Amino acid sequence: MNQGGQGGGGYGPPGGGGWGPPGAGGPPQGGYGAPPGYGPPGGAPPGYGPPGYGAPPPGQGGFGPPAGGRGPFGRFTKHIIIGGLIGGLLSSIPLFNLINCCFCLLNIAGVAIGIATYLSAHPEDAMSSSEGAMFGAAAGAGAGLMSAIAGLIVNALLAEGLHSLFRSLSPQLAQQMATQSTYGVFMLPVSVVLYGAFGALGGFLTLQLFFKNRLRP
């Protein structure tokens, strides 16, 4: 006959001994829970986790581009402005700006100079292909805007001379030239988009051809 329930040390409920081996008694005080010290990151409340595992070390902010620089384009803002100004000035010089008829070379040159000045000023940094394209698009759009505005100013300054020239031409040719001058205002957004597109191509190619050792995957 089984005597495990007698005296509190057996396997049966009689006697209040619990369901454990002889002499084991009931469950530990507080129930069968997780060992102390196991909890989620942060240390509170105690739960599941290796002992001593708390919050991540302070100052670990994750991965991202190097800090520095303010403005809509972060650390590139200053040098995007430099590239846009150079491309815009070169593209505003009469006759010389005809070079832009070949793939917007003056605009791309401004973008390349802007990227070169940035990488020279930050020797510890690198740029990805997408950052180069973004850099070039922004600088190119600025150059296109500047070039278009300069063209409008030149046309306004030369309006008197152009008016005299129109009168000396045949009516059909004069009308055509006057219409083309009017189109200058409406071509401004087109110039911004066109220069921005070639600028993006220029930024991408500049990194691939001249700064491959500074190219970040």
Side-chain angles (χ1 to χ4, degrees):
M1 182 176 180
N2 186 1
Q3 301 294 327
Q6 305 295 326
Y11 286 85
W19 297 88
Q29 198 172 22
Y32 289 96
Y38 287 80
Y48 296 91
Y53 185 84
Q60 302 297 321
F63 298 98
R70 295 182 178 179
F73 302 103
R75 67 193 195 277
F76 301 128
T77 300
K78 173 183 174 182
H79 300 276
I80 285 175
I81 294 174
I82 292 174
L85 286 175
I86 293 175
L89 286 173
L90 294 177
S91 301
S92 302
I93 301 175
L95 299 181
F96 186 68
N97 58 7
L98 294 177
I99 297 176
N100 269 338
C101 294
C102 182
F103 298 104
C104 268
L105 284 181
L106 296 176
N107 174 37
I108 291 177
V111 171
I113 293 172
I115 290 177
T117 58
Y118 173 80
L119 293 176
S120 176
H122 302 83
E124 76 290 345
D125 196 11
M127 295 176 66
S128 66
S129 296
S130 60
E131 288 175 332
M134 180 276 293
F135 187 110
L145 178 63
M146 183 176 177
S147 175
I149 292 176
L152 293 175
I153 294 175
V154 170
N155 287 338
L157 293 176
L158 299 178
E160 185 65 30
L162 289 175
H163 182 68
S164 301
L165 177 63
F166 289 165
R167 286 185 299 180
S168 65
L169 298 173
S170 64
Q172 295 83 3
L173 184 57
Q175 179 65 31
Q176 183 179 0
M177 294 184 67
T179 302
Q180 289 178 349
S181 298
T182 304
Y183 281 163
V185 177
F186 300 101
M187 288 297 292
L188 193 150
V190 176
S191 177
V192 171
V193 173
L194 185 64
Y195 275 62
F198 277 102
L201 177 63
F204 176 83
L205 292 178
T206 297
L207 288 176
Q208 299 292 331
L209 297 177
F210 304 112
F211 299 102
K212 208 165 187 177
N213 60 327
R214 305 289 297 276
L215 186 60
R216 184 170 62 238

